[in-house]
Amino acid sequence: MAGILSNLKSTVIAGFILTVIMVVVVVAITGEGMPGGSDWIAFLWRWLHVLSAVMWIGILWYFNFVQIPSMPKIPDEQKPAISKVIAPAALFWFRWAAMATIITGLLLAHDSGYLGQALTLGLLDGVAKHTAIGIGMWLGLIMWFNVWFVIWPNQKIALGIVDAEADAKAASARKAMLFSRTNTLLSFPMLYAMVSAQNIY
Protein backbone atom coordinates (compact mmCIF):
# COMPACT_ATOMS: atom_id res chain seq x y z
CA MET A 1 0.00 0.00 0.00
CA ALA A 2 2.85 2.40 0.81
CA GLY A 3 4.17 1.81 -2.73
CA ILE A 4 0.87 3.03 -4.20
CA LEU A 5 0.53 6.02 -1.88
CA SER A 6 4.13 7.18 -2.29
CA ASN A 7 3.55 7.79 -6.02
CA LEU A 8 0.87 10.31 -7.09
CA LYS A 9 0.20 8.62 -10.45
CA SER A 10 -0.31 5.26 -8.74
CA THR A 11 -2.57 6.89 -6.14
CA VAL A 12 -4.78 8.48 -8.82
CA ILE A 13 -5.00 5.24 -10.82
CA ALA A 14 -5.86 3.33 -7.63
CA GLY A 15 -8.55 5.93 -6.86
CA PHE A 16 -10.19 5.36 -10.25
CA ILE A 17 -9.95 1.57 -9.84
CA LEU A 18 -11.54 1.84 -6.39
CA THR A 19 -14.35 3.91 -7.93
CA VAL A 20 -15.00 1.21 -10.56
CA ILE A 21 -15.04 -1.48 -7.84
CA MET A 22 -17.51 0.62 -5.83
CA VAL A 23 -19.81 0.98 -8.87
CA VAL A 24 -19.69 -2.79 -9.49
CA VAL A 25 -20.49 -3.55 -5.83
CA VAL A 26 -23.41 -1.07 -5.73
CA VAL A 27 -24.85 -2.47 -8.98
CA ALA A 28 -24.43 -6.05 -7.70
CA ILE A 29 -26.18 -5.27 -4.40
CA THR A 30 -28.98 -3.00 -5.65
CA GLY A 31 -29.34 -3.87 -9.32
CA GLU A 32 -29.36 -0.12 -10.05
CA GLY A 33 -26.83 2.33 -11.43
CA MET A 34 -25.60 0.17 -14.30
CA PRO A 35 -23.41 2.28 -16.61
CA GLY A 36 -24.99 3.00 -19.98
CA GLY A 37 -27.70 5.16 -21.49
CA SER A 38 -28.07 8.92 -21.75
CA ASP A 39 -28.74 9.44 -18.03
CA TRP A 40 -25.50 7.71 -17.16
CA ILE A 41 -23.56 9.79 -19.70
CA ALA A 42 -24.99 12.97 -18.15
CA PHE A 43 -23.97 11.68 -14.73
CA LEU A 44 -20.45 10.92 -16.02
CA TRP A 45 -20.12 14.50 -17.31
CA ARG A 46 -21.37 15.78 -13.92
CA TRP A 47 -18.88 13.61 -12.02
CA LEU A 48 -15.97 14.77 -14.21
CA HIS A 49 -17.25 18.36 -13.88
CA VAL A 50 -17.23 18.11 -10.08
CA LEU A 51 -13.77 16.47 -10.03
CA SER A 52 -12.36 19.24 -12.22
CA ALA A 53 -14.08 21.97 -10.20
CA VAL A 54 -12.73 20.58 -6.92
CA MET A 55 -9.21 20.79 -8.37
CA TRP A 56 -9.78 24.30 -9.80
CA ILE A 57 -11.45 25.92 -6.80
CA GLY A 58 -9.22 24.01 -4.37
CA ILE A 59 -6.10 25.51 -5.97
CA LEU A 60 -7.76 28.94 -6.21
CA TRP A 61 -8.43 28.83 -2.47
CA TYR A 62 -4.93 27.48 -1.78
CA PHE A 63 -3.48 30.54 -3.54
CA ASN A 64 -5.74 32.96 -1.69
CA PHE A 65 -5.99 31.38 1.75
CA VAL A 66 -2.46 29.94 2.02
CA GLN A 67 0.18 31.01 -0.52
CA ILE A 68 -0.50 34.74 -0.97
CA PRO A 69 -0.94 35.51 2.77
CA SER A 70 2.16 33.42 3.60
CA MET A 71 4.56 35.03 1.10
CA PRO A 72 5.48 38.05 3.30
CA LYS A 73 6.43 35.63 6.11
CA ILE A 74 8.83 33.61 3.93
CA PRO A 75 12.51 34.69 4.02
CA ASP A 76 13.70 36.13 0.69
CA GLU A 77 16.23 33.35 0.15
CA GLN A 78 13.44 30.75 0.34
CA LYS A 79 10.96 32.51 -1.98
CA PRO A 80 12.45 31.04 -5.20
CA ALA A 81 11.18 27.63 -4.04
CA ILE A 82 7.66 29.05 -4.38
CA SER A 83 8.13 31.16 -7.51
CA LYS A 84 10.29 28.70 -9.48
CA VAL A 85 8.86 25.33 -8.40
CA ILE A 86 5.55 25.34 -6.52
CA ALA A 87 3.67 28.22 -8.19
CA PRO A 88 4.34 27.13 -11.81
CA ALA A 89 3.22 23.57 -11.02
CA ALA A 90 0.12 24.81 -9.18
CA LEU A 91 -0.71 27.19 -12.04
CA PHE A 92 -0.48 24.33 -14.55
CA TRP A 93 -3.13 22.29 -12.70
CA PHE A 94 -5.09 25.46 -11.90
CA ARG A 95 -5.59 26.60 -15.49
CA TRP A 96 -6.19 23.13 -16.96
CA ALA A 97 -8.65 22.27 -14.17
CA ALA A 98 -10.49 25.49 -15.08
CA MET A 99 -10.57 24.39 -18.73
CA ALA A 100 -11.79 20.89 -17.84
CA THR A 101 -14.47 22.33 -15.55
CA ILE A 102 -15.84 24.57 -18.30
CA ILE A 103 -15.74 21.90 -21.01
CA THR A 104 -17.40 19.20 -18.89
CA GLY A 105 -19.97 21.70 -17.60
CA LEU A 106 -20.95 22.77 -21.11
CA LEU A 107 -21.11 19.14 -22.27
CA LEU A 108 -23.27 18.27 -19.26
CA ALA A 109 -25.66 21.16 -19.93
CA HIS A 110 -25.83 20.30 -23.64
CA ASP A 111 -26.42 16.57 -23.11
CA SER A 112 -29.01 17.32 -20.41
CA GLY A 113 -30.87 19.66 -22.78
CA TYR A 114 -30.65 22.92 -20.85
CA LEU A 115 -27.58 24.67 -22.30
CA GLY A 116 -29.54 27.35 -24.18
CA GLN A 117 -31.99 27.91 -21.33
CA ALA A 118 -29.14 28.26 -18.81
CA LEU A 119 -27.06 30.62 -20.95
CA THR A 120 -30.14 32.85 -21.31
CA LEU A 121 -30.63 32.69 -17.50
CA GLY A 122 -34.03 31.03 -17.81
CA LEU A 123 -35.51 34.18 -19.33
CA LEU A 124 -36.97 32.21 -22.25
CA ASP A 125 -38.77 29.59 -20.18
CA GLY A 126 -39.07 31.06 -16.66
CA VAL A 127 -37.62 27.93 -15.01
CA ALA A 128 -35.85 28.82 -11.74
CA LYS A 129 -33.40 25.93 -12.09
CA HIS A 130 -32.25 27.31 -15.44
CA THR A 131 -31.82 30.77 -13.93
CA ALA A 132 -29.75 29.42 -11.03
CA ILE A 133 -27.54 27.14 -13.11
CA GLY A 134 -27.21 29.90 -15.71
CA ILE A 135 -25.93 32.38 -13.13
CA GLY A 136 -23.44 29.74 -11.97
CA MET A 137 -22.38 29.06 -15.55
CA TRP A 138 -21.82 32.73 -16.38
CA LEU A 139 -19.85 33.28 -13.17
CA GLY A 140 -17.78 30.19 -14.02
CA LEU A 141 -17.16 31.48 -17.55
CA ILE A 142 -16.02 34.85 -16.18
CA MET A 143 -13.70 33.07 -13.74
CA TRP A 144 -12.35 30.85 -16.55
CA PHE A 145 -11.69 33.94 -18.68
CA ASN A 146 -9.84 35.56 -15.78
CA VAL A 147 -7.66 32.46 -15.35
CA TRP A 148 -6.65 32.10 -18.99
CA PHE A 149 -6.55 35.72 -20.17
CA VAL A 150 -5.56 37.71 -17.08
CA ILE A 151 -4.13 35.60 -14.24
CA TRP A 152 -1.97 33.20 -16.27
CA PRO A 153 -0.45 35.81 -18.66
CA ASN A 154 0.38 38.06 -15.70
CA GLN A 155 1.75 35.21 -13.60
CA LYS A 156 4.10 34.29 -16.45
CA ILE A 157 5.55 37.79 -16.20
CA ALA A 158 5.56 37.88 -12.38
CA LEU A 159 7.28 34.50 -12.08
CA GLY A 160 9.90 35.27 -14.72
CA ILE A 161 8.63 32.67 -17.19
CA VAL A 162 8.49 35.61 -19.63
CA ASP A 163 11.30 38.18 -19.54
CA ALA A 164 10.29 41.51 -18.01
CA GLU A 165 11.66 44.39 -15.96
CA ALA A 166 11.26 44.37 -12.17
CA ASP A 167 8.52 47.04 -12.29
CA ALA A 168 6.54 45.04 -14.85
CA LYS A 169 6.90 41.90 -12.70
CA ALA A 170 5.57 43.72 -9.64
CA ALA A 171 2.65 45.22 -11.58
CA SER A 172 1.80 41.83 -13.10
CA ALA A 173 1.98 40.10 -9.72
CA ARG A 174 -0.48 42.63 -8.28
CA LYS A 175 -2.85 42.33 -11.25
CA ALA A 176 -2.78 38.52 -11.07
CA MET A 177 -3.46 38.67 -7.33
CA LEU A 178 -6.40 41.07 -7.73
CA PHE A 179 -8.02 38.89 -10.40
CA SER A 180 -7.36 35.80 -8.30
CA ARG A 181 -9.14 37.56 -5.43
CA THR A 182 -11.94 38.47 -7.85
CA ASN A 183 -12.32 34.78 -8.70
CA THR A 184 -12.34 33.93 -4.99
CA LEU A 185 -15.13 36.47 -4.47
CA LEU A 186 -17.10 35.05 -7.42
CA SER A 187 -16.56 31.44 -6.32
CA PHE A 188 -19.02 31.74 -3.41
CA PRO A 189 -22.10 32.83 -5.42
CA MET A 190 -21.02 30.56 -8.29
CA LEU A 191 -20.95 27.48 -6.04
CA TYR A 192 -24.23 28.49 -4.39
CA ALA A 193 -25.90 28.85 -7.81
CA MET A 194 -24.58 25.50 -9.01
CA VAL A 195 -25.55 23.57 -5.88
CA SER A 196 -28.92 25.29 -5.46
CA ALA A 197 -29.86 24.46 -9.05
CA GLN A 198 -29.44 20.77 -8.21
CA ASN A 199 -30.99 20.80 -4.74
CA ILE A 200 -33.48 23.66 -4.29
CA TYR A 201 -35.08 24.23 -7.70
Side-chain angles (χ1 to χ4, degrees):
M1 190 65 168
I4 292 172
L5 297 177
S6 62
N7 180 286
L8 178 60
K9 183 178 178 181
S10 298
T11 302
V12 172
I13 291 169
F16 278 99
I17 291 170
L18 184 59
T19 303
V20 170
I21 292 169
M22 182 190 71
V23 170
V24 169
V25 169
V26 170
V27 170
I29 292 172
T30 67
E32 297 180 18
M34 185 68 154
S38 60
D39 287 346
W40 196 85
I41 296 298
F43 163 76
L44 181 62
W45 288 132
R46 179 168 281 119
W47 183 64
L48 293 172
H49 180 61
V50 170
L51 282 179
S52 303
V54 167
M55 173 78 82
W56 178 17
I57 302 305
I59 295 174
L60 172 69
W61 287 359
Y62 158 76
F63 283 140
N64 284 277
F65 288 94
V66 179
Q67 184 173 304
I68 293 170
S70 298
M71 287 303 286
K73 304 170 192 170
I74 298 173
D76 287 343
E77 66 273 10
Q78 294 177 4
K79 286 184 180 178
I82 301 291
S83 62
K84 301 296 182 193
V85 180
I86 295 172
L91 285 163
F92 172 85
W93 291 106
F94 176 65
R95 67 183 187 273
W96 287 108
M99 183 69 76
T101 302
I102 291 300
I103 290 171
T104 55
L106 291 172
L107 287 169
L108 169 62
H110 176 269
D111 285 358
S112 298
Y114 60 79
L115 180 60
Q117 295 92 328
L119 289 175
T120 56
L121 301 176
L123 296 174
L124 301 180
D125 61 8
V127 175
K129 179 175 182 168
H130 296 154
T131 302
I133 199 75
I135 291 169
M137 287 171 68
W138 278 110
L139 290 173
L141 286 165
I142 292 166
M143 292 168 65
W144 169 85
F145 181 89
N146 288 345
V147 167
W148 277 93
F149 297 101
V150 183
I151 296 170
W152 173 234
N154 279 281
Q155 283 287 15
K156 286 194 288 187
I157 295 168
L159 296 173
I161 297 169
V162 172
D163 289 333
E165 299 295 325
D167 289 347
K169 286 183 178 183
S172 289
R174 177 157 176 77
K175 187 171 185 179
M177 184 275 291
L178 291 173
F179 275 83
S180 182
R181 285 285 161 82
T182 300
N183 276 9
T184 300
L185 181 150
L186 295 177
S187 69
F188 294 98
M190 180 273 294
L191 288 168
Y192 179 87
M194 293 289 185
V195 175
S196 68
Q198 300 304 318
N199 294 281
I200 296 176
Y201 304 110

